Amino acid sequence: MYPLAALDLLEYQGKQLFAGHGVPVTEGRVADTVEDAVAAAEEIGYPCVIKAQVQIGGRGKAGGIKVAEDRGQAEEHAKAILGMDIRGPRGEGPFTVHQVWVEGASEIEAEYYASIILDRSAKKLLAMLSTMGGMNVEEIAEKDPDALIRRHVEPSEGFGVEQASALVADAGVPEEYREKTAEALVKLYTAFNESDATLIEVNPLVVTKSGDVIALDAKVTIDNSALYRHEDLADLEEGFIEDEQERMAKEKGLTYVKLDGDIGILGNGAGLCMSTLDVVAQAGGDPANFLDAGGGSKAEAIIDALTVITSDEKVRAILFNIFGGITRGDEIAKGIIEASDQIDLKVPFVVRLDGTNSEEGLGLLADADLPDLHVEKTMLGAAEKVVELAGTA
């Protein structure tokens, strides 16, 4: 697992984004208490649907989506869903439900699957459509590969009514629904571009009994590096961070991802950090985190990084893997020494220091003679040592 380079919106946030670009969506209200959910249901009317708001698929199968026919059922379902833990179809999570989306029930005539993604290998956007909606894309592809129609978007052409209409026809959408389906796809494409998304997925995109085409779900991923252009979306990110260490790292401006192991990892540069995770795993260890202190790391950044790593009670040993370019080895060493004075590290740590001013840094560490500090020359040697120390800690 590597640091997230994207912001995943909750369903209701995705629908708000869609509505802002003219994509038809169901009317609804978000609620974080049972009382608010019932009030929303009373305002919207019955039947209504109460939907768990978590960043994972498979909510319906997990009991996170319920239809309420009256006030009593609305209260019953809201009580059951709020606070429940939902795991994804591949065991992801658990994700705790803190909010529900209450929307009017739809009379569905047909369900489609629609998505627009950034195809990095082709360096183009990829639009997909299937008339076999209501299941995930893997199931569609497995059940009938020809049912999922894919079309790359040529940058010189864009994705207008002409391109969308061709995709809709190739997917086998009935004639009477093609125009509105194509219009919805064009608006989804506009939302994708204007929000700097890397994925927009609607499953299902439904045709109602009255012939309207509505986005009944919304899965949206926004490129983190573009959030500075979208202050309204950037403000959402903080509310998604539930883990204590990840929240602390966010406040300190560190790139950090919590993992399940017991070996703290600190490196400079995403590539080196990812390699370190792999080498620790190769040595038989289990990383507790990914933490990239960044290029040009100063002593203060090292102190902040160690504060975050050591706040995780599962960490039994820490590995510093630093290759100096912009980053200076003597600054790293000063950070380690200062951190040992300010923080009760409690656990052994291994340092592999190479590159710019590495000799000066190693000299400072030798002079400091810190307890439980071990220096290794190679990445593999450092990984093997930290795994050994974690096993005996």
Side-chain angles (χ1 to χ4, degrees), residues 9 13-25 116 182-197 200 215 220 222 229-230 232-233:
L9 303 187
Q13 294 163 339
K15 285 183 173 178
Q16 289 171 350
L17 178 70
F18 288 175
H21 291 86
V23 179
V25 296
I116 300 171
E183 289 176 357
L185 292 178
V186 172
K187 291 173 180 176
L188 287 172
Y189 173 77
T190 301
F192 186 103
N193 280 336
E194 294 186 0
S195 62
D196 289 298
I200 279 181
V220 180
I222 306 296
R229 291 197 286 262
H230 307 283
D232 54 331
L233 297 177

Side-chain angles (χ1 to χ4, degrees), residues 263 265 275-286 317 319-321 350-352 376-390:
I263 296 174
I265 304 294
S275 298
T276 305
L277 296 181
D278 291 340
V279 174
V280 167
Q282 178 185 335
D286 198 359
L319 171 58
F320 291 79
N321 191 14
V350 178
V351 177
R352 182 253 180 172
E376 293 289 337
K377 292 184 177 181
T378 67
M379 188 189 302
L380 180 57
E384 291 173 342
K385 185 65 177 178
V386 79
V387 170
E388 174 191 337
L389 292 170

Side-chain angles (χ1 to χ4, degrees), residues 131-390:
T131 55
M132 294 173 60
M135 61 180 72
N136 64 40
V137 66
E138 291 86 358
E139 291 179 58
I140 295 173
E142 182 178 347
K143 186 173 181 179
D144 184 359
D146 293 334
L148 184 62
I149 307 303
R150 306 169 176 87
R151 294 289 183 271
H152 281 105
V153 178
E154 296 299 331
S156 60
E157 297 179 0
F159 191 78
V161 173
E162 180 182 351
Q163 291 80 11
S165 297
L167 178 62
V168 167
D170 290 345
V173 173
E175 183 71 36
E176 61 268 32
Y177 306 141
R178 288 183 183 180
E179 182 178 353
K180 288 187 177 180
T181 303
E183 289 176 357
L185 292 178
V186 172
K187 291 173 180 176
L188 287 172
Y189 173 77
T190 301
F192 186 103
N193 280 336
E194 294 186 0
S195 62
D196 289 298
T198 58
L199 176 145
I200 279 181
E201 183 178 76
V202 182
N203 189 24
L205 179 72
V206 302
V207 179
T208 66
K209 295 288 187 181
S210 59
D212 294 321
V213 175
I214 297 175
L216 204 59
D217 194 11
K219 182 181 290 184
V220 180
T221 301
I222 306 296
D223 184 350
N224 263 2
S225 63
L227 285 178
Y228 71 94
R229 291 197 286 262
H230 307 283
E231 292 184 6
D232 54 331
L233 297 177
D235 291 341
L236 299 174
E237 186 177 30
E238 186 67 23
F240 292 157
I241 304 176
E242 296 186 15
D243 180 79
E244 177 187 352
Q245 283 75 40
E246 291 188 350
R247 185 177 297 278
M248 189 186 306
K250 175 73 175 177
E251 292 171 353
K252 295 179 181 296
L254 299 170
T255 301
Y256 175 94
V257 175
K258 180 77 166 286
L259 301 175
D260 296 327
D262 57 7
I263 296 174
I265 304 294
L266 190 154
N268 63 313
L272 183 61
C273 284
M274 289 188 283
S275 298
T276 305
L277 296 181
D278 291 340
V279 174
V280 167
Q282 178 185 335
D286 198 359
N289 66 269
F290 173 118
L291 197 154
D292 174 11
S297 300
K298 301 293 186 181
E300 184 179 351
I302 300 304
I303 296 171
D304 287 343
L306 279 172
T307 300
V308 173
I309 292 174
T310 57
S311 68
D312 183 355
E313 295 180 355
K314 292 193 301 182
V315 172
R316 300 168 65 86
I318 300 171
L319 171 58
F320 291 79
N321 191 14
I322 305 294
F323 185 84
I326 300 174
T327 304
R328 290 168 39 191
D330 56 331
E331 285 287 346
I332 298 295
K334 289 176 184 176
I336 294 172
I337 295 167
E338 290 179 25
S340 68
D341 290 334
Q342 299 180 26
I343 308 168
D344 184 7
L345 295 177
K346 295 181 182 179
V347 298
F349 50 105
V350 178
V351 177
R352 182 253 180 172
L353 196 56
D354 200 358
T356 304
N357 289 6
S358 58
E359 293 300 323
E360 291 88 336
L362 292 171
L364 290 172
L365 292 175
D367 292 341
D369 193 26
L370 300 177
D372 266 340
L373 182 146
H374 307 263
V375 175
E376 293 289 337
K377 292 184 177 181
T378 67
M379 188 189 302
L380 180 57
E384 291 173 342
K385 185 65 177 178
V386 79
V387 170
E388 174 191 337
L389 292 170

Side-chain angles (χ1 to χ4, degrees), residues 73-124:
Q73 287 190 358
E75 183 175 5
E76 176 187 349
H77 296 333
K79 284 181 178 178
I81 294 173
L82 281 167
M84 76 183 299
D85 288 334
I86 295 180
R87 288 192 176 274
R90 298 175 184 80
E92 307 95 323
F95 296 83
T96 302
V97 180
H98 299 294
Q99 295 174 305
V100 292
W101 176 245
V102 184
E103 67 181 16
S106 300
E107 293 187 320
I108 299 172
E109 179 70 24
E111 296 184 339
Y112 302 151
Y113 169 92
S115 67
I116 300 171
I117 66 170
L118 174 60
D119 185 345
R120 298 183 189 277
S121 61
K123 299 178 181 174
K124 297 178 182 178

